[in-house]
Structure formats: structure tokens, C-alpha cells
């Protein structure tokens, strides 16, 4: 099949950037979207031009690196897929495909489609962990956890930190990401001691990174390749409210 | 009070303020709409009701101040969150396809500005009478009928009520999520509640300008 690619090219953080149009005549429907970009890049290299920079790593939907906006939707039109899992057969012969980087102040463009997502890492560093030494692996059933709770924690733990929620949100909000992490740990017994301190510091960091707020559009949930539900945001809101009202730094 | 400041400055805290003030405003809107429907029982009914509302000045002002503070908190938070959201996406997408956003969700900001304009006009129109052709403080019935006889004014009231309906269709369901009440059993119910309230409020308020326009109330 043959497609027309309109792809964002930007030399560096300060370059204004522009959409570049390329004809891609030799696309196999069985290629993944990233393999299609690989082919385009091989052509560019052969012609002595600079290849299109894009992030990728696992190419199996688990690392979250392959962020790009495809025809106005994060990771393209399919539900619950990352770009590496998207196949060219999703498109039709002759289609024009617009490819852009995530757009958010907190995600500065490094080059072409590559953005710097360390803002998400800093939110994790602010509290997305359990700060106690756990020793060697405990017996699996030593701490009983109801199945429904374990399932919900697992559902939130699926977040791969790709940033699609931010990219899709009209407010460029990182609420779904932050909430997934807050809820994943906050549901489990091991996460209880730091539950309220965690939500306060992670939300504070999220705001410091200059993400927007949540207005419950629901675009994040639809864009999430791991189908994380906005219910986690509701739970984070509740935890945040409770933490704000009851948090004390020292025993008083 | 450090925690209170941190709360008020956070994006979640501001949203919680909006939800809480929204609850108060929705309560007011429902009471106000019910009271307005007394128009259909004739001048005596609505004028007595108005006199009753004004019979205790301290109570009336307590309610007015609560409403004014709610509106201020609601708009102040909305304003601040809008600025944060604008700043959060300085570069726009060449192509962006919203997948699930509703009309209600998308119109919250513009609709809110329109509603604010409406509230200012409405207070000058039917509470203080500054922009009313023949205002009489004791004759609410006459004020409404004369005030809404101008087609542009009646049309503005109806348009504002469309904005209010849209605002509530999103807002009433959204506020539960903001206050942390998200549960699979209740989510379909809160979404339905929002739609029912939106339609009810739109219909309840709009009947009056429409009834005046079509000569049912005169
Ligand atoms: C078609 C729709 C509406 C009609 C016909 C209407 C009618 C009136 C009338 C006649 C009054 C004066 C009552 C009195 O002086 O005793 C009034 C007051 C007021 N209305 Fe409305 N109203 C409408 C919609 C709304 C809406 C949607 C809001 C707010 C969201 C609103 C907010 C107010 C406020 C804040 C007051 C002042 C209450 C006070 O005096 O403390 N109205 N309205
Ligand atoms: S490359 Fe790892 S998720 Fe796509």
C-alpha cells in the first residue's frame, strides 16, 4: 500500500518545527507503524537525509516509549494499543497520516517525535514507591488481600507511563497517570503507611510540573493503551481531600 | 494553616471548591425554578411568595451572600484552572480528534462565561430593575411579564437556559467524581441524574419566557 505521511520535524527544543510531507510508496499492511517509520528512515539515510527521530524500546506494548499522536489520537485509532502494536492494515491505501509529538508544556520536544517525559518520573520520585525495606520475598499468601482489591490494584499497576493520557487531554492533565500510581499503591496493605503522604506529594509534584487540571472530559481513559479507568482519579481525589484535612507532619 | 493553602493552590483543591460551590448553586437553581413556576398560578401567588422571601432581611441576605460567595469561588477557581490548562498546552496539535468529550464538557468554559453574563443582566433586570422598562419592587409578576415581552430579552433567557442545561449535564455528574464518589454501581445513576436535572432545569425555567412570548402569561 501507499500512504502519505505528514510528520512533525523539529531539529531541537528551540527550533519552531514544521509538518513535512513524505510519500511512502512501499508499505506492507503487515508492518507495525514503527516498522513503517523504520523503512522511511532507511530511505532517508540512503538519500543522505536525517532520519525521523522517534522513541521506541520494547516494541511489544509494555515499555510506553513509542509515544506519538497519529491522526489526532495518541498511538493511533485502535483501542488499547501502543504505536508499536498498531499495524498498517489499520489504514487504507492512499491514506494521509499526520504524526505529531505529544503536546504539553511539561513534555518539551527533544527532536521530531521525541519528547522529554521526565516530568512523569519526577512525579514517581515524589512518592510513587513504598519506602520500607521489604527484606527477601515473603510467602505469597502471607498478607491476605481480597481478590477484588488485588485486581483493582493490578489494573492501575498496568500503567506504562507512556503519557497518552496527557497527550489526549484537552487540559494536558496528568491526572490519570498520577492517579494510577497513587491508587495502585494506596489499595495494597504495603502501601498504607505512606498512603496519605504519598498522594499529597505526588499531586504537588504533578502541579509543579505544570500539567493542567482535570475537567472530566474522559479523553485520557479512552486513549490509555492499558485501559486504565478514570475511577482511579475519583479515588485519588478522595484520598487527596482526606489527606489534606487529616495530614499531620509530626505527632501532635 | 499551611495545609489549607496547599489545598487551595492545588488543581484538585480548586476543583473540589468548584464542586462544592456548584452543589450550592444547583440547590439554589432548583428552588428558584420551583418558585418561578408560581407564575402559572397568577400574580397573587408569585407576589406573595416574593414578599415571603423578603420578609426576613437577615435571612434573605444570608442566602444572597452565600450565593454570591459560591459564585465567586466557582468562577475564581474556574478562571484559575483555565489559565493553568491553557499554559499546560502552549503548542497546539495540527490534528486532534477528541474521542469521547461531550458537548456539555466542552462548553463548560464558554457556557460559564455566558451564564455569568446572564446572572449580571438578570439581577439588573428582575432584582434591582436597573435595566427594566417599568420596574415595580412589589409586582414580581408584572416585572416578569413586561420584562420578557421584548423578544430579544426572552430569547436571551432561553439561550442562557440552554447554556445552564449543558453546564448541569456535565457538572452534576462531574462533581461526584471530583468529590471522590466514583463507584461502578452509582456511576450510571449519577450520569442519568445529571441529564434529568439538566432537562428539568432547562424546561422549568424556559417555560416562563416562552409562555410570555406566546401570550400564555400576560
Ligand atoms: C428563565 C429563567 C429565570 C427567571 C424567569 C428568573 C426570574 C427571577 C426573578 C423574578 C427574580 C427576582 C425575585 C424577587 O425579587 O423576589 C430572580 C432572582 C434571581 N435569580 Fe433568577 N430567574 C431565572 C433564572 C435564573 C438562573 C438560571 C439563575 C442562576 C443560575 C438565577 C439567579 C438568580 C439570582 C441569584 C436571583 C437573586 C436572588 C436574590 O434576590 O437574592 N436566575 N430571578
Ligand atoms: S515500544 Fe514499548 S510500548 Fe511501544
Amino acid at each position: 500500500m501507499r500512504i502519505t505521511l505528514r510528520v512533525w520535524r523539529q531539529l531541537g527544543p528551540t527550533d519552531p518545527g514544521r509538518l513535512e510531507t513524505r510519500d511512502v510508496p512501499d508499505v506492507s499492511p503487515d508492518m507495525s507503524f514503527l516498522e513503517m517509520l523504520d523503512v522511511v528512515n532507511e530511505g532517508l539515510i540512503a538519500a543522505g537525509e536525517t532520519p525521523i527521530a522517534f522513541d521506541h524500546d520494547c516494541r511489544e506494548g509494555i515499555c510506553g516509549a513509542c509515544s506519538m499522536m497519529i491522526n489526532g489520537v495518541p498511538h493511533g485509532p485502535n483501542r488499547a494499543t501502543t504505536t508499536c502494536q498498531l499495524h498498517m492494515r489499520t489504514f487504507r491505501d492512499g491514506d494521509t497520516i499526520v504524526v505529531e509529538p505529544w503536546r504539553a508544556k511539561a513534555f518539551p520536544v527533544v527532536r521530531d517525535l521525541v519528547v522529554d517525559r521526565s516530568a512523569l518520573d519526577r512525579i514517581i520520585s515524589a512518592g510513587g514507591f513504598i519506602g520500607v525495606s521489604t527484606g527477601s520475598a515473603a510467602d505469597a499468601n502471607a498478607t491476605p488481600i481480597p481478590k477484588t482489591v488485588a485486581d483493582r490494584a493490578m489494573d492501575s499497576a498496568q500503567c506504562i507511563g507512556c503519557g497518552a493520557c496527557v497527550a489526549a487531554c484537552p487540559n494536558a492533565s496528568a491526572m490519570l497517570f498520577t492517579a494510577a500510581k497513587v491508587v495502585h499503591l494506596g489499595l495494597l496493605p504495603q502501601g498504607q503507611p505512606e498512603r496519605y503522604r504519598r498522594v499529597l506529594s505526588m499531586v504537588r509534584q504533578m502541579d509543579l510540573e505544570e500539567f493542567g487540571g482535570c475537567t472530566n472530559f474522559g479523553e485520557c481513559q479512552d486513549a490509555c493503551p492499558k485501559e486504565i479507568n478514570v475511577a482511579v482519579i475519583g479515588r485519588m481525589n478522595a484520598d487527596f481531600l482526606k489527606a489534606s484535612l487529616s495530614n499531620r507532619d509530626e505527632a501532635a | 494553616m499551611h495545609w489549607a493553602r496547599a489545598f487551595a493552590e492545588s488543581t484538585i483543591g480548586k476543583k473540589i471548591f468548584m464542586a462544592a460551590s456548584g452543589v450550592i448553586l444547583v440547590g439554589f437553581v432548583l428552588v428558584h425554578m420551583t418558585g418561578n413556576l408560581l407564575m402559572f398560578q397568577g400574580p397573587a401567588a408569585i407576589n406573595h411568595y416574593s414578599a415571603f422571601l423578603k420578609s426576613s432581611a437577615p435571612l434573605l441576605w444570608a442566602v444572597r451572600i452565600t450565593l454570591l460567595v459560591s459564585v465567586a469561588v466557582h468562577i475564581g477557581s474556574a478562571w484559575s484552572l483555565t489559565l493553568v490548562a491553557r499554559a499546560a498546552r502552549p503548542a497546539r496539535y495540527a490534528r486532534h480528534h477528541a474521542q469521547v468529550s461531550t458537548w456539555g464538557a466542552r462548553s463548560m468554559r464558554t457556557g460559564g462565561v455566558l451564564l455569568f453574563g446572564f446572572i449580571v443582566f438578570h439581577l439588573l433586570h428582575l432584582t434591582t430593575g436597573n435595566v427594566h422598562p417599568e420596574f415595580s419592587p412589589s409586582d414580581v409578576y408584572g416585572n416578569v411579564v413586561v420584562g420578557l415581552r421584548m423578544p430579544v430579552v426572552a430569547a436571551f433567557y432561553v439561550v442562557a437556559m440552554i447554556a445552564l442545561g449543558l453546564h448541569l449535564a456535565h457538572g452534576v455528574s462531574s462533581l461526584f467524581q471530583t468529590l471522590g464518589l466514583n463507584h461502578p454501581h452509582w456511576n450510571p445513576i449519577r450520569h442519568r441524574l445529571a441529564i434529568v436535572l439538566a432537562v428539568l432545569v432547562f424546561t422549568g425555567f424556559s417555560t416562563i419566557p416562552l409562555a410570555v412570548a406566546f401570550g400564555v402569561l400576560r
Side-chain angles (χ1 to χ4, degrees):
Chain A
M1 52 196 277
R2 180 185 208 109
I3 57 152
T4 305
L5 206 57
R6 296 195 62 218
V7 59
W8 187 258
R9 302 305 302 267
Q10 181 172 343
L11 283 172
T14 52
D15 179 37
R18 75 235 148 260
L19 279 175
E20 197 176 83
T21 307
R22 309 220 140 247
D23 182 39
V24 192
D26 44 2
V27 178
S28 149
D30 298 329
M31 285 174 173
S32 79
F33 200 85
L34 297 188
E35 284 163 344
M36 182 275 294
L37 289 178
D38 290 338
V39 169
V40 172
N41 277 346
E42 277 165 17
L44 286 171
I45 293 166
E49 292 179 62
T50 330
I52 303 162
F54 63 92
D55 261 336
H56 59 105
D57 187 10
C58 70
R59 298 215 178 196
E60 59 176 9
I62 57 171
C63 76
C66 54
S67 351
M68 58 191 81
M69 203 75 172
I70 301 170
N71 279 343
V73 184
H75 301 133
N78 289 357
R79 283 198 69 81
T81 30
T82 50
T83 309
C84 56
Q85 296 171 306
L86 177 71
H87 288 90
M88 294 312 293
R89 55 179 165 268
T90 315
F91 303 93
R92 269 176 313 193
D93 191 36
D95 272 1
T96 296
I97 306 174
V98 180
V99 190
E100 294 173 86
W102 287 172
R103 297 277 187 212
K105 174 143 190 242
F107 291 163
V109 174
V110 177
R111 188 183 181 109
D112 299 341
L113 303 174
V114 178
V115 299
D116 179 354
R117 287 172 298 154
S118 1
L120 299 184
D121 298 340
R122 288 189 293 270
I123 296 177
I124 297 292
S125 311
F129 50 82
I130 289 173
V132 291
S133 160
T134 53
S136 56
D139 183 48
N141 292 324
T143 312
I145 302 171
K147 166 113 171 82
T148 48
V149 172
D151 283 351
R152 284 164 64 207
M154 190 60 211
D155 286 347
S156 336
Q158 285 207 69
C159 171
I160 53 176
C162 63
C165 44
V166 177
C169 176
N171 303 315
S173 171
M175 288 282 278
L176 193 70
F177 168 79
T178 311
K181 303 299 178 183
V182 163
V183 168
H184 151 216
L185 298 173
L187 275 167
L188 296 173
Q190 296 85 345
Q192 293 311 307
E194 290 156 303
R195 176 167 169 192
Y196 294 107
R197 216 188 318 148
R198 173 182 305 116
V199 67
L200 290 179
S201 59
M202 288 182 77
V203 168
R204 199 176 96 90
Q205 190 63 37
M206 174 185 86
D207 286 346
L208 284 175
E209 299 293 346
E210 302 185 79
F211 289 105
C214 177
T215 48
N216 300 323
F217 278 101
E219 295 292 342
C220 54
Q221 170 181 310
D222 195 72
C224 178
K226 300 297 156 188
E227 301 191 291
I228 291 173
N229 193 281
V230 290
V232 295
I233 296 179
R235 190 177 152 95
M236 175 165 77
N237 289 338
D239 273 12
F240 183 79
L241 180 59
K242 190 163 175 215
S244 299
L245 296 176
S246 62
N247 180 58
R248 40 177 93 167
D249 288 333
E250 294 151 39
Chain B
M1 291 304 274
H2 172 256
W3 64 271
R5 214 175 130 201
F7 180 79
E9 282 174 358
S10 70
T11 50
I12 300 184
K14 284 179 187 147
K15 253 328 268 290
I16 291 177
F17 279 132
M18 287 188 71
S21 52
V23 171
I24 296 176
L25 294 173
V26 170
F28 163 75
V29 160
L30 289 177
V31 173
H32 187 32
M33 181 194 80
T34 316
N36 284 355
L37 292 175
L38 286 174
M39 285 292 291
F40 292 102
Q41 297 214 5
I46 186 102
N47 288 352
H48 275 129
Y49 177 61
S50 163
F52 160 72
L53 291 182
K54 290 175 188 160
S55 54
S56 158
L59 204 63
L60 177 66
W61 278 103
V63 172
R64 285 178 171 177
I65 288 167
T66 309
L67 290 172
L68 279 178
V69 170
S70 303
V71 167
V73 166
H74 198 80
I75 296 180
S77 313
W79 191 267
S80 152
L81 286 171
T82 303
L83 294 184
V84 171
R86 288 262 163 87
R89 173 151 305 133
R92 315 197 118 253
Y93 289 108
R95 188 179 292 186
H96 187 189
H97 281 309
Q99 303 291 301
V100 291
S101 310
T102 57
W103 277 91
R106 287 184 219 189
S107 67
M108 290 309 270
R109 287 177 189 144
T110 23
V113 171
L114 187 103
L115 283 173
F116 178 68
F118 169 75
I119 291 170
V120 172
F121 173 79
H122 177 54
L123 291 181
L124 295 174
H125 189 222
L126 290 173
T127 302
T128 63
N130 298 45
V131 296
H132 194 281
E134 331 166 358
F135 189 75
S136 144
S138 59
D139 182 17
V140 171
Y141 186 90
N143 291 340
V144 171
V145 170
V146 174
L148 293 176
R149 215 174 263 153
M150 282 165 73
V152 255
V153 175
F156 180 49
Y157 270 76
V158 174
V159 168
M161 291 311 104
I162 293 174
L164 182 61
L166 280 172
H167 210 75
L168 296 185
H170 178 76
V172 168
S173 140
S174 181
L175 68 87
F176 288 90
Q177 164 86 344
T178 303
L179 296 174
L181 305 170
N182 182 312
H183 191 283
H185 292 332
W186 297 106
N187 288 347
I189 297 176
R190 73 178 157 98
H191 296 322
R192 234 170 286 148
L193 174 76
I195 303 296
V196 168
L197 278 188
V199 172
L200 185 77
V201 164
F202 166 73
T203 325
F205 277 123
S206 299
T207 43
I208 291 164
L210 291 176
V212 174
F214 291 103
V216 179
L217 289 174
R218 55 186 139 167

